[in-house]
């Protein structure tokens, strides 16, 4: 998410601007509109777009994103997800965690995927609209092949079995559940249809009556989940989607789990990579994110030699010459200059919807933005690389909002940076504590006048 200046589109809708600004005000990465902030990512565009096009043609891609905390990994993957969505991909972002979504439980990962599934037309969960669109496409194909109103159900059934023939070799219950869902809808039994679709999405504790009606048993397991993912890719493709873009975020949390769970998770990741590279999942673009310590440390990838071999990438050269086509890509993080450039971009974006754009530019000039960036970096022990989130939160919520609403507010006179513990992430809190335990504290950092 490095920035060197403003390069956002000159025409921005009020809704897109508001979405971005509101998220930054909360200290969050925007869910959309990231192209407005994505300066400095042009060196990745050509290679990543080519990979997306390859996946849309039936290939599959695995990518590992590497960066320190605060380097913009979440921003990068959401930016890439937006590019995928513009190509009519379905997208899902999954947060890996020991308690909620352990990586070694692939059935749980699949469940989170269906819960977070989104398309350009539908927010999460888009599973039902996707399945409904697939059945509509089957009906259209059957009619085009000469089916009549009387023969349509039977012809759709034949197409369903044909399209899912490969999937049924690994997960026959996937096709059975789809047939059960369609049958329940035809009978007007919405409760059963919804329950069967929940089971298809990997949800546990689905009513036994609904499972019996669909002819399926039990809950989804590890191997069944891989088959269901294969089936979901088929449904997406046949319903008009180019593919599926999936992000497994914060995989570095594996370093903090029990050794047995960590080993299972690393092996599950190795298995996923092998399945992607084997061609089992045509139309899948799978991304993981992690810190350098996860990829290089003995508590992470290096703990499993076969996984380390698959992710091995040469980062000994100048970052300018990193290969964006490699299996692992490195985000360089922020410098003081790039942080200021991003601040300028945000200020200009904010000004387009402000009551007095000229006043925003005059009061919050480039020099003040540079001062604020230095102050935030100082509050975090000089670690500019982890400062972007807090810097943008302060810039929007504490400075730009006030300048916009109060005609006599001058941040150089009326604002002094304060950093409360409860507004920091764990990493930011640790850095701020290291400053407080030394000769400086956040309150000691003053803006240059």
């Amino acid at each position: 998410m490095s920035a060197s200046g403003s390069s956002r589109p000159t025409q921005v809708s009020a809704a897109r601007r508001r979405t971005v600004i509101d998220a930054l005000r909360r200290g969050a990465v925007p869910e959309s509109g990231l192209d407005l902030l994505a300066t400095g990512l042009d060196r990745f565009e050509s290679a990543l777009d080519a990979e997306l096009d390859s996946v849309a043609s039936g290939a599959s891609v695995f990518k590992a994103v590497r960066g320190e905390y605060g380097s913009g990994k979440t921003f990068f993957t959401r930016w890439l997800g937006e590019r995928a969505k513009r190509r009519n991909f379905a997208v899902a972002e999954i947060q890996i965690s020991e308690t909620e979504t352990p990586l070694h439980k692939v059935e749980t990962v699949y469940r989170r995927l269906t819960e977070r599934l989104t398309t350009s037309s539908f927010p999460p969960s888009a599973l039902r609209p996707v399945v409904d669109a697939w059945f509509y496409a089957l009906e259209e194909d059957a009619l085009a092949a000469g089916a009549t109103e009387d023969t349509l159900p039977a012809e759709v059934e034949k197409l369903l079995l044909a399209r899912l023939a490969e999937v049924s070799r690994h997960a026959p219950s996937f096709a059975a559940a789809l047939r059960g869902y369609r049958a329940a809808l035809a009978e007007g039994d919405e409760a059963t249809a919804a329950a069967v679709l929940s089971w298809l999405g990997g949800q546990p504790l689905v009513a036994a009556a609904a499972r019996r009606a669909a002819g399926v048993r039990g809950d989804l397991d590890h191997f069944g989940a891989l088959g269901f993912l294969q089936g979901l890719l088929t449904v997406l493709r046949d319903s008009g989607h180019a593919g599926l873009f999936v992000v497994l975020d914060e995989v570095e949390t594996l370093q903090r789990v029990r050794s047995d769970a960590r080993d299972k998770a690393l092996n599950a990741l190795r298995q996923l990579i092998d399945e992607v590279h084997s061609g089992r999942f045509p139309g899948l673009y799978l991304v993981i994110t992690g810190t350098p310590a996860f990829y290089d440390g003995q508590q992470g990838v290096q703990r499993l030699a076969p996984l380390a071999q698959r992710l091995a990438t040469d980062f000994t050269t100048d970052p300018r010459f990193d290969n964006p086509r490699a299996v692992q890509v490195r985000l360089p993080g922020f410098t003081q200059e790039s942080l200021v450039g991003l601040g300028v971009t945000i200020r200009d974006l904010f000004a387009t919807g402000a009551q007095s754009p000229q006043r925003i530019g005059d009061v919050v000039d480039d020099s003040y933005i540079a001062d604020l960036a230095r102050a935030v970096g100082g509050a975090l022990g000089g670690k500019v690389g982890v400062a972007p989130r807090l810097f943008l939160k302060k810039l929007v919520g504490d400075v730009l909002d006030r300048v916009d609403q109060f005609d006599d507010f001058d941040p150089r006179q009326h604002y002094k940076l304060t950093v409360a513990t409860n507004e920091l992430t764990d990493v930011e809190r640790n850095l701020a504590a290291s400053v407080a335990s030394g000769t400086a504290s956040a309150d000691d950092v003053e803006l240059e006048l």
Side-chain angles (χ1 to χ4, degrees), residues 17-257:
R17 185 193 69 86
R18 184 169 57 251
T19 296
V20 171
I21 295 298
D22 285 351
L24 297 178
R25 186 182 287 119
R26 300 192 309 271
V29 175
E31 293 285 348
S32 62
L34 298 180
D35 57 307
L36 304 177
L37 314 179
T39 54
L41 296 180
D42 53 310
R43 68 191 183 95
F44 294 104
E45 287 183 359
S46 178
L48 297 179
D49 285 349
E51 289 178 348
L52 287 171
D53 291 340
S54 175
V55 171
S57 298
S60 53
V61 167
F62 172 84
K63 207 78 168 179
V65 179
R66 165 195 190 101
E68 295 286 1
Y69 288 104
S71 62
K73 297 188 294 297
T74 299
F75 178 94
F76 179 87
T77 55
R78 288 185 182 173
W79 167 78
L80 183 54
E82 281 197 347
R83 299 182 77 82
K85 200 174 287 187
R86 286 199 292 271
R87 286 170 165 76
N88 203 27
F89 277 67
V91 174
E93 178 185 320
I94 305 164
Q95 302 293 320
I96 297 301
S97 71
E98 180 182 13
T99 56
E100 297 294 327
T101 314
L103 185 57
H104 67 281
K105 292 186 178 296
V106 179
E107 62 274 25
T108 304
V109 174
Y110 171 79
R111 182 165 76 246
R112 296 286 180 259
L113 189 160
T114 61
E115 290 171 351
R116 297 293 299 159
L117 188 69
T118 181
T119 69
S120 57
S121 302
F122 296 97
S125 165
L127 179 61
R128 182 161 190 167
V130 165
V131 170
D132 288 345
W134 184 64
F135 277 117
Y136 178 79
L138 293 184
E139 290 176 354
E140 290 294 299
D141 290 347
L143 291 171
T148 65
E149 184 175 346
D150 292 335
T151 62
L152 183 59
E155 293 302 315
V156 169
E157 176 80 6
K158 291 179 182 178
L159 284 177
L160 183 152
L161 294 174
R163 301 282 173 86
L164 295 177
E166 179 63 24
V167 175
S168 295
R169 290 178 51 213
H170 303 281
S173 56
F174 187 85
L178 284 171
R179 291 198 302 271
Y181 170 72
R182 180 174 172 81
L185 286 181
E187 295 170 3
D189 188 351
E190 172 61 29
T192 297
V196 172
L197 196 65
S198 293
W199 188 87
L200 192 71
Q203 297 295 334
L205 306 177
V206 173
R211 283 180 284 155
R212 282 197 301 271
V216 297
R217 294 184 299 176
D219 293 328
L220 194 61
D221 61 13
H222 174 100
F223 297 104
L226 294 176
F228 274 35
L229 175 58
Q230 193 176 357
L232 178 60
L233 289 166
T234 299
V235 169
L236 284 166
R237 183 187 64 237
D238 289 350
S239 60
H241 293 280
L244 174 62
F245 178 87
V246 177
V247 178
L248 303 180
D249 202 9
E250 299 184 1
V251 177
E252 70 270 2
T253 57
L254 295 181
Q255 298 172 102
R256 301 192 291 272
V257 305

Side-chain angles (χ1 to χ4, degrees), residues 43-48 51 62-66 76 285 311-331:
R43 68 191 183 95
F44 294 104
E45 287 183 359
S46 178
L48 297 179
E51 289 178 348
F62 172 84
K63 207 78 168 179
V65 179
R66 165 195 190 101
F76 179 87
Y285 195 121
L311 296 179
T313 305
D314 180 15
F315 290 117
T316 60
T317 57
D318 189 311
R320 293 180 301 160
F321 306 117
D322 283 357
N323 178 14
R325 298 174 182 171
V327 66
Q328 190 180 153
V329 295
R330 169 171 55 177
L331 301 183

